[in-house]
Amino acid sequence: MKRYKNECEFLHKITLNQLNLPKNRIKPNFEDYELKEIIKLLRQELIELEAELFQEKSNKTRISEEVGDVGACLVGLIAKTQGS
């Protein structure tokens, strides 16, 4: 059995979902951003995730969305540094 297989599959699902939301599809591709811009976006998404995690009444759906946003930024970082 592979470690964290289910969690990786869930991360894959929510990251793809966030990347393909209509509101996100109109944004430029990550390859069109400067590396510093992607890192800045990643930091912003981590701050939003942290805020959601420490809400008095945390919402699992919102947490998943924020994790997906962080995942999307990581995908962008890979796309920018590794090429697609």
Side-chain angles (χ1 to χ4, degrees):
M1 177 139 217
K2 295 184 179 178
R3 293 180 62 192
Y4 301 108
K5 180 180 184 247
N6 293 338
E7 291 82 357
C8 288
E9 288 171 356
F10 183 66
L11 177 60
H12 176 255
K13 177 184 169 189
I14 60 177
T15 298
L16 278 177
N17 184 62
Q18 290 304 105
L19 283 167
N20 290 301
L21 286 175
K23 69 176 187 170
N24 292 333
R25 292 188 77 183
I26 62 173
K27 295 178 181 176
N29 290 329
F30 282 108
E31 295 88 347
D32 298 332
Y33 285 97
E34 294 294 325
L35 189 56
K36 287 182 180 184
E37 293 174 301
I38 297 171
I39 293 169
K40 182 179 176 182
L41 286 170
L42 176 58
R43 284 186 180 133
Q44 287 174 273
E45 294 303 340
L46 285 168
I47 289 168
E48 290 176 23
L49 172 59
E50 181 181 29
E52 196 60 46
L53 287 169
F54 291 104
Q55 288 288 323
E56 194 169 308
K57 293 184 179 184
S58 62
N59 178 323
K60 286 185 180 183
T61 300
R62 284 290 304 136
I63 291 170
S64 292
E65 290 170 351
E66 293 302 335
V67 170
D69 287 341
V70 170
C73 288
L74 291 172
V75 166
L77 191 58
I78 292 167
K80 184 67 177 182
T81 60
Q82 304 297 313
S84 292

